[in-house]
Amino acid sequence: MIRVLLADDQVLVRAGFRALLDAQADIEVVGEAADGAAAVAMAADLRPDVVLMDIRMPGLDGLEATRQISARPELAEVRVVVLTTFELDEYVFEALRGGAAGFLVKDTEPADLLRAVRVVAGGDALLSPGVTRRLIGEFAARSKAPGRAGTAGLDLLTEREREVLTLVGMGLSNDEIARRLVVSPLTAKTHVSRAMVKLGVRDRAQLVVLAYESGLVRPGWLG
């Protein structure tokens, strides 16, 4: 059973999501939060598999709530998916940086919402690498210069792992990375997993963010 926590300040939105999710044999809504502070507290108490987190909420917003959940080691298995009205929302970039596993547009089709919950609960990437890359690239390209955040952490990577990180940032899937490097998909996946462990990131979305912030991938410049 996949346990889901809903965090949204609009009662009707929560009711709609609950009705859809609870109608599934393998999904159970275990709680509802009307603001970020309640979401953090309920995540700690209920330990859901997935939190559907609205970004804009009164008091503690979804961005800070996502950061707080992601920062707590005991909640490492809790996956946060942020909800947004527009696909290219500047706050989504901050949410991914803060530890969100991905994002959903609020008017997404019901079947896509159910698929997303199941995919995230299974530990896989919610978004295709290309979608995440386009989102991050949209906002990273507005910067005056590529950032150098996380550069020190890159020193922990082998040359191959750094190469793989660059390819992840460019939007390649594990299969595409395998073909590019002429290795097996399992080997590519292993390199991605080792890079995640060494860099202390929770998922692929954060790897993409780090690739941009470290300057390995630089939209609007070279590469």
Side-chain angles (χ1 to χ4, degrees):
M1 184 66 71
I2 300 171
R3 306 172 73 252
V4 178
L5 171 64
L6 303 176
D8 195 298
D9 62 331
Q10 298 183 45
V11 176
L12 287 178
V13 171
R14 298 200 308 269
F17 282 149
R18 176 182 277 276
L20 174 65
L21 296 171
D22 276 344
Q24 308 305 307
D26 60 335
I27 301 175
E28 175 189 13
V29 175
V30 296
E32 297 183 25
D35 57 57
V40 174
M42 294 180 75
D45 183 46
L46 300 173
R47 305 295 174 92
D49 300 300
V50 179
V51 179
L52 294 180
M53 180 84 74
D54 187 25
I55 293 180
R56 297 175 180 84
M57 292 185 289
L60 191 73
D61 64 21
L63 293 176
E64 183 57 32
T66 296
R67 292 190 194 99
Q68 290 190 19
I69 291 173
S70 299
R72 297 176 66 163
E74 69 272 21
L75 301 182
E77 300 303 315
V78 177
R79 309 276 286 176
V80 178
V81 176
V82 297
L83 301 171
T84 179
T85 305
F86 303 103
E87 183 173 303
L88 287 180
D89 187 324
E90 62 182 306
Y91 295 110
V92 173
F93 181 27
E94 294 301 323
L96 293 173
R97 177 189 282 161
F103 74 97
L104 283 174
V105 179
K106 281 191 174 182
D107 63 355
T108 189
E109 293 294 324
D112 291 334
L113 172 64
L114 296 173
R115 179 189 63 81
V117 168
R118 292 181 176 118
V119 166
V120 170
D124 295 325
L126 168 60
L127 305 172
S128 69
V131 172
T132 308
R133 169 186 171 271
R134 287 195 298 273
L135 170 74
I136 294 172
E138 172 74 17
F139 297 103
R142 298 177 186 178
S143 305
K144 294 182 179 179
R148 305 304 302 174
T151 303
L154 298 184
D155 294 338
L156 300 174
L157 304 182
T158 64
E159 183 176 348
R160 176 49 60 91
E161 288 165 353
R162 185 187 292 251
E163 185 177 12
V164 167
L165 174 59
T166 301
L167 296 176
V168 169
M170 291 170 61
L172 274 65
S173 67
N174 287 345
D175 286 345
E176 291 168 333
I177 291 172
R179 289 194 292 271
R180 177 74 66 91
L181 300 181
V182 195
V183 298
S184 71
L186 179 59
T187 297
K189 181 178 181 180
T190 298
H191 285 311
V192 172
S193 298
R194 287 176 178 170
M196 288 173 58
V197 171
K198 289 182 179 180
L199 296 171
V201 301
R202 291 165 61 100
D203 52 42
R204 195 183 195 95
Q206 283 195 295
L207 275 185
V208 177
V209 171
L210 193 149
Y212 276 97
E213 293 191 326
S214 66
L216 287 179
V217 179
R218 300 180 291 172
W221 299 277
L222 299 175

